[in-house]
Amino acid sequence: MHAFENLKQQFLRPADEFTPIPFWFWNDKLSRGEIVQQIQDFHAKEVSGFVLHPRMGLPREMPYLSDPFMEMIEVALSEAEKLGMKVILYDEGMYPSGSACGMVVKENGAYASRGLELREYPCQNQFVRLPISLQQGESLVSIQAVRKLSESQIEADSAVVLFCEGSVVEFAPPKQGDWSVLVFVDTPSRGTIRGVHPGQDDGEPDAPLAADLLNRDAVQSFMRFTHERYYEKFSDYFGTTIIAMFTDEPDLLGRGHVPGLKPWTSFFLSDYVADGGDERDLPALWLDAGEQTGAIRNRFAGAIRRRLNQTYYKPLADWCEEHGIGLTGHPAGSDDIGLLSHFHIPGQDIVWR
């Protein structure tokens, strides 16, 4: 009976470690007095922690991660420390994570999100001599010919890898049927994130460009802008008041990206082949290749997930651990359980609509 009474009391008067930790949206002009007052309101209602989340609405005169912005963060951390509260920092302005509100790509355009694009040229069962034209920032990944069974189906194992001579590829169909030449191009996705300032929302002129999260160097740049910046300013709070960093549904292609793309990064084909794939798998990412289609698409998705774990989640987790805090947050999809392996505090975002 004594044990039961103790358990009952824990439910009636739970310890601070069981506190709800709400997202606290910073989406308006910030003031020291208002920040302190809202933290005190949290505390008075027995909410002993919060996630500091910059959101759309921050004024332009207080740029994300600027000194004036960080001064407001200092106000919040100082008040939280006085009250014995815990803080989780949010790693982006606003979401999805990985771009430092566009600063990663502004510093180096080569770090912009990329995708694999399919361009199809029907042969009509005739010899073709096809010039290959690429735009600035694009690179050729593969050229293949396939026999079409319908608009969306190809004959299994019909793919033939072709090679350019100069900037021209030639192909003569080896047998009767409808053949197409498929050109696979590594191209900028032109995807964006939602920023924190007016004019930076989806479809607006200043929406920040998404970064290439499959590129190790791009992710290191993101961490330098964000994680190192926070640690430079607030190292004394790490591991005490600051307990974690929240990363939010990183999107490989970005929002509003060029339609029809598959996640990609430069030179990823060699990674995919080393992971058990085949260059001739690429058509099946878009077209039905019979019974093998599902296995090919699963293999590709698995290779992308493993690459993302290596280039994004593990470096973030390692950095957090080295600095005395945990990595928390969630991946882009509610069923991406496998991407949570490096999280110290794994989470999921399930929105009922």
Side-chain angles (χ1 to χ4, degrees), residues 163-185:
F163 299 94
C164 266
E165 292 189 10
S167 59
V168 174
V169 64
E170 296 181 347
F171 174 68
K175 61 179 179 179
Q176 291 294 316
D178 291 328
W179 288 79
S180 282
V181 172
L182 308 181
V183 179
F184 299 91
V185 177

Side-chain angles (χ1 to χ4, degrees), residues 96 99 105 112-114 187-194 202 207-211 251-258 261:
S99 305
V105 181
S113 168
R114 306 191 67 78
T187 186
S189 77
R190 309 194 189 284
T192 59
I193 73 164
R194 299 185 70 193
D202 291 337
L209 285 173
D251 188 331
L252 295 179
L253 292 170
R255 299 166 67 89
H257 60 79
V258 174
L261 300 182

Side-chain angles (χ1 to χ4, degrees), residues 315-331:
L316 265 61
D318 288 348
W319 188 96
C320 288
E321 193 164 333
E322 290 165 5
H323 293 78
I325 63 173
L327 174 64
T328 189
H330 60 87

Side-chain angles (χ1 to χ4, degrees), residues 39 50 75-87 241:
I39 292 174
F50 49 82
V75 171
L77 292 173
S78 176
E79 187 65 20
E81 182 182 53
K82 290 176 187 175
L83 298 174
M85 300 172 71
K86 302 302 181 185
V87 176
T241 302

Side-chain angles (χ1 to χ4, degrees), residues 120-126 128 144-149 155 157-160 171-182:
E120 180 174 357
Y121 302 89
C123 297
Q124 318 238 312
N125 200 34
Q126 297 178 351
V128 293
Q144 301 180 39
V146 295
R147 187 169 183 262
K148 299 291 291 288
L149 301 179
E155 182 181 274
D157 301 319
S158 68
V160 179
F171 174 68
K175 61 179 179 179
Q176 291 294 316
D178 291 328
W179 288 79
S180 282
V181 172
L182 308 181

